[in-house]
Amino acid sequence: MSDEVEKKEMGAVTTIYHEFESWNANLGEKTIHAKRMPGFFRTVKNYTQLALWLPFFLGPYLRWNGKQAILLDIQNRQFHFFSLTVLPQDIWMLSLVLLMAAMTLFAVTSVASRVWCGYFCFQTAWTDWFTWVEDKIDGNPAARRKLDDAPWSLDKIRKRVFKHVIWALIALLTGISFSIWFVDARDYWNNLIHLNLPKVGWVVLTMFFFGTYILAGFLREQACFWLCPYARIQGVMTDSQTILPAYDVKRGEPRGKLRKGGESTAAQGDCIDCFQCVQVCPTGVDIRNGQQLGCITCGLCLDACDAVMEKIGKPHGLIRYASLDELSGKPAKKLYQHPRTLVYLTIILLALSGIVYGLSHLGSMTLRVIPERQPLFVTMSDGSIQNKYEFKVVNKTDKDIHVKVTAEGGIAGQQIIGAEETQLTHHGRGTSFTIFVKAPGANVMQEITPIEFRVEGVEDPTVSAEYSSKFNGPKH
């Protein structure tokens, strides 16, 4: 880039700098129109948002064996994940998933501040998409501010209508995409097109439509300031060792305008008071005033500052990801020296181990056998001893299955009464039936004898379950 071009660009930038030299954080009086600038962190932000939220829109349309691959069927109390079906009996794994997600959020925050808010959060993502639409229709921030203050005209009405229609379509698609995680996507679209959704379907769609439209279109950063609880508690999760966007005061101060020709005084710091970091901030924060509640750690101010530093021939990093201890010259601690983070990681590993164990022992059928307590056994007229058992079988497949009952161990010569015919187990729920075990009294040599029951699918023998129980007899 030639010196002449640099002077022209810096001259244009200086005009913008002067326009925003008295910028203050917006508390809702006016809409913040953040400038969109290319850069490393903007690219990271775009890709991370797509990586998390594109599956949200497309995931429910994935089919598996003729059915929706992932379906959180609350109505029938079944969660389907490809060939895996999770029933309410296995809901403890969902608790571990939520615990692991929470601890991951806390651990990442303690190390790198509000990374979730800046790169993944649905409020951040949808606001970013809404403002992108606004930027394409209404123009750059200066044009949008001018349009806000302009009187109503045909051009303003046209732009406003077009923008709000696009916003409404995004909000509607968001509501539909959320709903079809809980009902079959094809059935939902068919019912929606024919205006035949159930009442709860209309309520959920309406709530998500207006929630998305208002939060992303109008509240924007105010939702982060006043509605989000995580924004309030994030301060207690960080300390002086946490890495976050920070302004290097020693290098930047004292601030001063860049003189004509790109010169600066010897006593002047690297910050030329251009306000580019403020202009790109989606919450209107001036990072040079220190850490604030509004900072969502998105890193866009780093892109803006580095772009300016490059133009004036200064090194990058006046605003950078760094800990406050690092900026003050203190030695940085290693990750293993953060006890709180280690606690988070330990809980994450324990929760993950529980989830892996649960999935590996989930099976397609579960069996629970409850022996009769009153009485423990019955002495029959022929001298034989009989025990009564309540069988509870949960069929986790998507088909009704007939099962046969067998037993191993127990008493020599025992008979299983009630297993002469197969028992029908209904898919996706529990089935109960009663089984009696009768054994010759002369063969019952001890008060408690181990016995293992097994149920096995007639149509599919690979679907089976076992349960260890006991056979009760009289004292000898």
Side-chain angles (χ1 to χ4, degrees):
M1 184 182 294
S2 66
D3 292 340
E4 184 178 356
V5 174
E6 284 186 2
K7 291 178 183 178
K8 288 182 180 180
E9 288 188 1
M10 288 308 304
V13 173
T14 303
T15 303
I16 298 176
Y17 298 169
H18 179 73
E19 181 183 350
F20 290 93
E21 63 183 354
S22 59
W23 182 286
N24 293 314
N26 190 295
L27 298 180
E29 299 90 347
K30 288 187 177 182
T31 302
I32 290 180
H33 294 294
K35 183 178 180 180
R36 302 182 74 90
M37 287 185 63
F40 174 78
F41 292 101
R42 163 52 70 181
T43 302
V44 171
K45 184 182 180 76
N46 292 341
Y47 281 115
T48 52
Q49 288 177 355
L50 286 176
L52 181 63
W53 295 112
L54 196 58
F56 167 78
F57 289 102
L58 301 181
Y61 299 103
L62 184 62
R63 311 297 289 185
W64 184 263
N65 291 334
K67 295 185 178 181
Q68 189 162 313
I70 304 174
L71 179 61
L72 311 179
D73 190 356
I74 294 179
Q75 181 178 357
N76 296 311
R77 297 181 297 176
Q78 301 176 17
F79 292 170
H80 300 283
F81 298 93
F82 295 89
S83 297
L84 183 67
T85 299
V86 180
L87 298 179
Q89 291 84 354
D90 307 305
I91 205 66
W92 59 270
M93 284 190 292
L94 177 61
S95 302
L96 290 181
V97 171
L98 296 177
L99 176 63
M100 187 174 68
M103 291 301 105
T104 301
L105 190 64
F106 295 164
V108 171
T109 301
S110 67
V111 174
S113 190
R114 297 169 63 183
V115 173
W116 165 262
C117 295
Y119 295 95
F120 300 98
C121 175
F122 49 86
Q123 174 65 18
T124 301
W126 265 256
T127 299
D128 200 46
W129 302 339
F130 272 48
T131 53
W132 179 84
V133 171
E134 190 173 56
D135 188 76
K136 295 300 181 183
I137 296 174
D138 291 346
N140 60 34
R144 297 204 295 270
R145 282 187 290 270
K146 184 177 179 181
L147 187 64
D148 288 344
D149 297 333
W152 286 99
S153 63
L154 288 177
D155 183 63
K156 183 174 181 177
I157 293 174
R158 178 184 61 81
K159 289 182 177 181
R160 286 288 189 265
V161 169
F162 188 31
K163 178 179 70 176
H164 285 277
V165 166
I166 300 298
W167 283 1
L169 290 175
I170 296 175
L172 180 62
L173 181 60
T174 301
I176 294 172
S177 299
F178 176 82
S179 299
I180 59 179
W181 283 93
F182 301 92
V183 295
D184 186 270
R186 295 180 179 178
D187 293 341
Y188 184 91
W189 275 105
N190 182 62
N191 290 331
L192 179 63
I193 292 172
H194 293 90
L195 302 179
N196 196 30
L197 287 178
K199 183 182 294 184
V200 66
W202 288 116
V203 170
V204 171
L205 181 59
T206 302
M207 289 177 59
F208 265 82
F209 173 80
F210 284 106
T212 304
Y213 182 72
I214 294 172
L215 286 172
F218 297 94
L219 289 181
R220 299 184 181 181
E221 80 288 341
Q222 300 304 310
C224 303
F225 281 129
W226 312 115
L227 298 181
C228 179
Y230 178 57
R232 294 292 180 179
I233 65 175
Q234 62 91 27
V236 301
M237 299 182 188
T238 61
D239 54 28
S240 59
Q241 289 290 331
T242 302
I243 300 172
L244 33 70
Y247 170 66
D248 191 340
V249 177
K250 292 182 179 179
R251 176 184 160 186
E253 301 296 325
R255 308 172 197 170
K257 296 293 183 183
L258 196 66
R259 296 175 178 272
K260 214 167 188 181
E263 299 176 355
S264 60
T265 61
Q268 183 177 319
D270 283 355
C271 178
I272 60 174
D273 219 13
C274 63
F275 284 90
Q276 292 293 293
C277 56
V278 183
Q279 289 187 63
V280 299
C281 180
T283 61
V285 165
D286 189 341
I287 194 65
R288 299 172 301 173
N289 295 334
Q291 297 309 307
Q292 301 161 60
L293 178 64
C295 178
I296 60 173
T297 319
C298 63
L300 299 182
C301 55
L302 279 68
D303 286 337
C305 188
D306 286 347
V308 172
M309 291 297 105
E310 190 172 329
K311 289 179 180 178
I312 64 175
K314 300 286 186 179
H316 292 182
L318 177 59
I319 301 175
R320 63 183 184 272
Y321 272 100
S323 67
L324 299 181
D325 280 355
E326 178 187 340
L327 292 177
S328 61
K330 296 180 182 179
K333 291 182 180 179
K334 304 294 183 182
L335 180 62
Y336 61 81
Q337 295 175 312
H338 291 253
R340 180 175 55 187
T341 305
L342 294 179
V343 171
Y344 293 146
L345 292 177
T346 301
I347 297 174
I348 291 171
L349 291 176
L350 290 175
L352 181 60
S353 300
I355 294 169
V356 172
Y357 173 84
L359 292 176
S360 61
H361 291 76
L362 197 57
S364 53
M365 180 174 287
T366 60
L367 170 65
R368 187 183 178 196
V369 180
I370 305 173
E372 180 74 19
R373 299 297 182 186
Q374 293 293 334
L376 289 175
F377 62 91
V378 174
T379 302
M380 310 299 289
S381 59
D382 60 357
S384 60
I385 305 298
Q386 180 173 281
N387 282 205
K388 180 182 179 181
Y389 300 91
E390 183 74 15
F391 275 54
K392 294 184 180 295
V393 181
V394 179
N395 179 359
K396 298 181 180 180
T397 68
D398 57 357
K399 298 178 181 178
D400 293 347
I401 295 179
H402 290 85
V403 297
K404 59 182 180 180
V405 179
T406 57
E408 294 182 0
I411 309 299
Q414 67 187 11
Q415 297 177 4
I416 304 177
I417 303 172
E420 299 84 359
E421 296 182 0
T422 59
Q423 301 288 338
L424 177 63
T425 61
H426 300 281
H427 70 280
R429 68 174 193 261
T431 302
S432 299
F433 53 87
T434 301
I435 292 292
F436 297 91
V437 176
K438 186 171 71 171
N443 294 343
V444 181
M445 307 303 297
Q446 52 189 5
E447 185 178 353
I448 297 175
T449 303
I451 184 172
E452 182 169 318
F453 293 101
R454 175 184 174 86
V455 291
E456 182 179 289
V458 175
E459 295 86 354
D460 185 0
T462 61
V463 179
S464 62
E466 295 84 22
Y467 193 91
S468 298
S469 186
K470 57 188 177 181
F471 183 91
N472 296 296
K475 295 182 178 179
H476 288 278

